């Protein structure tokens, strides 16, 4: 019960600071950008930026037997 009340208190404090409104606004702009990209490029992402996104992404190496 104590944890539930603590979580409720934190959530109420964030709501009082406008957290929910800010989150909704940011998500709305995010969706607007995807809509724009879909109309302009036929994709959710601008193809010109894909190289930048993947260049900084960590390389995933499949697990396999140890090298000898």
């Amino acid at each position: 019960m104590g944890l539930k009340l603590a979580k409720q208190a934190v959530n109420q404090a964030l709501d009082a600071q406008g957290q929910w409104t800010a989150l909704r606004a940011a998500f709305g702009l995010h969706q607007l950008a995807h809509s724009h990209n879909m109309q302009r490029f036929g994709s959710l992402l601008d193809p010109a930026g894909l190289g930048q996104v993947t260049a900084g992404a960590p390389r995933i190496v499949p697990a396999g037997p140890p090298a000898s």
Side-chain angles (χ1 to χ4, degrees):
M1 181 67 173
L3 180 59
K4 189 171 185 135
L5 292 174
K7 286 181 70 174
Q8 185 66 23
V10 169
N11 287 335
Q12 286 178 355
L14 289 173
D15 285 345
Q17 294 174 8
Q19 179 78 14
W20 179 243
T21 303
L23 187 62
R24 284 192 350 217
F27 187 71
L29 293 173
H30 177 89
Q31 290 301 103
L32 179 63
H34 279 312
S35 177
H36 167 78
N37 287 337
M38 186 58 83
Q39 290 179 5
R40 185 158 181 210
F41 305 112
S43 171
L44 292 177
L45 301 173
D46 180 348
L50 289 178
Q52 296 171 0
V53 172
T54 57
R59 248 182 98 209
I60 299 173
V61 179
S68 50

